[in-house]
């Protein structure tokens, strides 16, 4: 991985007309280009949602499998639960991507995904307890399917939003996407052995509320100049 990262840093952007023309004359210039989106308030407002997308992915990998699936279905049930989560994620990604046409549609789709995951989080936090029997076995599978809906929405819509909002610096914008996602994933894996399920659910719910609120503020910031020009 380290060798791959070093080699990527040595790559230069190719111009469509002049393949041999290097855009970045040095590593410092390329680094400056990568961090340039951080000066844009739109990126600052979008970063919390990007980070939450990493948190919710790590939550299903590290916490959902350990604290919700395993006590009910056992270790052998983890694969089936994750398969249902993955299938739901794929279907939702395809559907959400098909209906994405601009900022308005992306806002609506993200809102649906955020509401679905918020319902799951608050239900787990306030009402959930392991149940025996067929119903008890079905609940973790159903939770996994719902969580996959939210993940599919975030995967497609964040990519669409970065392409729409940062058309001139797409590479740098997508670099920010992976940086913040990976950092958030690491946080969950470091915290999961040390805190309770209730504390993790509170952290996830708070992160979702804050990130979604800032995302709605982002839509207002983007729409305001458009309405003024109109």
């Amino acid at each position: 991985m380290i060798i791959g990262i070093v080699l990527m840093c040595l790559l230069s952007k190719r111009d469509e007309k002049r393949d041999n023309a290097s855009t970045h004359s040095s590593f410092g210039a390329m680094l400056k280009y990568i961090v340039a989106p951080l000066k844009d308030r739109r990126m600052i407002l979008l970063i919390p949602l990007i980070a939450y997308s990493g948190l919710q992915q790590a939550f299903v990998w590290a916490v959902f499998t350990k604290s919700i699936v395993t006590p009910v279905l056992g270790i052998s049930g983890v694969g089936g639960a994750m398969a249902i989560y993955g299938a739901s994620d794929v279907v939702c990604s395809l559907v959400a991507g098909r209906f994405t046409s601009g900022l308005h549609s992306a806002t609506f789709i993200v809102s649906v995904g955020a509401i679905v995951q918020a319902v799951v989080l608050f239900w787990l936090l306030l009402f959930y307890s392991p149940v025996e029997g067929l119903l008890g076995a079905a609940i973790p599978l159903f939770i996994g399917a719902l969580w996959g809906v939210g993940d599919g929405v975030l995967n497609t819509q964040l990519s669409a939003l970065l392409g729409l909002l940062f058309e001139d610096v797409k590479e740098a914008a997508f670099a920010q996407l992976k940086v913040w996602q990976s950092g958030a994933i690491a946080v969950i894996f470091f915290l999961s052995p040390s805190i309770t399920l209730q504390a993790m659910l509170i952290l996830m719910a708070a992160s979702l509320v804050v990130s979604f609120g800032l995302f709605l503020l982002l839509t207002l910031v983007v729409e305001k100049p458009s309405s003024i020009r109109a």
Side-chain angles (χ1 to χ4, degrees), residues 55 63 66 186-196 200 203:
L55 292 177
V63 180
K66 179 182 72 173
V187 167
I188 293 297
F189 275 100
F190 278 119
L191 289 179
S192 60
S194 306
I195 64 175
T196 64
M200 183 66 75
L203 172 64

Side-chain angles (χ1 to χ4, degrees), residues 6-222:
V6 171
L7 292 175
M8 287 178 62
C9 291
L10 299 176
L11 292 174
S12 61
K13 184 178 178 181
R14 299 294 182 179
D15 186 77
E16 293 181 358
K17 296 180 180 178
R18 298 176 60 189
D19 290 341
N20 295 323
S22 176
T23 302
H24 308 298
S25 58
S26 65
F27 176 78
M30 185 173 65
L31 185 62
K32 184 177 179 181
Y33 171 77
I34 291 174
V35 301
L38 294 176
K39 300 177 182 179
D40 192 325
R41 63 177 177 174
R42 297 174 302 174
M43 178 60 78
I44 299 300
L45 292 173
L46 191 58
I47 281 175
L49 189 64
I50 292 173
Y52 174 76
S53 72
L55 292 177
Q56 59 88 28
Q57 286 180 351
F59 173 82
V60 78
W61 299 334
V63 180
F64 171 71
T65 53
K66 179 182 72 173
S67 302
I68 297 174
V69 177
T70 301
V72 177
L73 300 177
I75 297 291
S76 60
V78 171
M82 293 304 290
I84 291 176
Y85 160 78
S88 173
D89 200 326
V90 169
V91 171
C92 184
S93 295
L94 291 172
V95 173
R98 176 67 179 83
F99 287 101
T100 304
S101 59
L103 183 61
H104 290 290
S105 62
T107 302
F108 174 76
I109 295 171
V110 169
S111 299
V112 172
I115 290 171
V116 170
Q117 289 200 342
V119 169
V120 172
L121 287 171
F122 283 106
W123 182 70
L124 288 173
L125 185 62
L126 301 175
F127 304 109
Y128 176 73
S129 60
V131 179
E132 295 182 356
L134 184 61
L135 178 62
I139 288 175
L141 304 180
F142 183 63
I143 293 173
L146 290 179
W147 203 260
V149 171
D151 186 59
V153 162
L154 289 173
N155 283 335
T156 55
Q157 301 313 299
L158 284 173
S159 296
L161 287 166
L162 290 174
L164 289 169
L165 299 177
F166 303 95
E167 192 170 353
D168 296 333
V169 286
K170 285 183 180 179
E171 297 92 340
F174 279 94
Q176 293 296 327
L177 170 69
K178 288 306 175 183
V179 166
W180 293 98
Q181 273 187 342
S182 301
I185 289 171
V187 167
I188 293 297
F189 275 100
F190 278 119
L191 289 179
S192 60
S194 306
I195 64 175
T196 64
L197 175 61
Q198 294 293 102
M200 183 66 75
L201 291 171
I202 291 172
L203 172 64
M204 293 295 299
S207 301
L208 175 56
V209 170
V210 171
S211 61
F212 182 63
L214 292 176
F215 169 72
L216 294 179
L217 179 59
L218 168 66
T219 62
L220 296 177
V221 168
V222 174

